Amino acid sequence: MARLGKVARGKSRWVGFCITPAIESREACHASISDYLFGISWKMYDCKPNKSSTLVIIRVPLEECDEAISKLNGSGTMQTLTKSGKIRLVRQRLGLN
């Protein structure tokens, strides 16, 4: 079966943010993000806990990116740090290489 072409997949943005205080498990992190991003299609790729916070990278559709960022920043425990069209750049900026 042939893969979808690049145009058919649609554009997306990678959003890097931190959650304070730190969340230890990937499942708990996913549940916490789900509470705030209800109604937005997203997928978590990286979840790296530190001593005081957790660094997370998610992918959201381009059309929903601004809404997702405003919801994350409005949560009180989450703060967006960077966004890009390439996950490699977000990982570099967060130091997750």
Side-chain angles (χ1 to χ4, degrees):
M1 177 173 246
R3 289 182 24 189
L4 287 175
K6 186 174 182 179
V7 175
R9 288 192 304 259
K11 291 189 175 190
S12 62
R13 288 292 175 259
W14 301 91
V15 180
F17 60 96
C18 68
I19 302 173
T20 306
I23 298 175
E24 294 300 320
S25 72
R26 186 175 178 90
E27 293 78 20
C29 186
H30 191 278
S32 178
I33 297 168
S34 293
D35 292 341
Y36 294 104
L37 295 184
F38 181 77
I40 296 176
S41 59
W42 61 279
K43 184 174 180 182
M44 183 170 58
Y45 280 80
D46 293 341
C47 180
K48 178 78 173 175
N50 291 335
K51 293 179 182 176
S52 61
S53 65
T54 301
L55 296 175
V56 181
I57 298 176
I58 62 171
R59 184 187 70 199
V60 295
L62 178 63
E63 305 82 34
E64 299 175 336
C65 183
D66 292 334
E67 182 184 358
I69 289 174
S70 67
K71 285 185 176 185
L72 291 172
N73 287 333
S75 69
T77 60
M78 300 179 199
Q79 178 185 7
T80 57
L81 303 172
T82 185
K83 74 174 181 177
S84 178
K86 299 182 186 299
I87 191 171
R88 177 181 52 84
L89 294 176
V90 175
R91 284 180 173 154
Q92 282 179 351
R93 293 172 188 164
L94 296 179
L96 297 177
N97 295 338

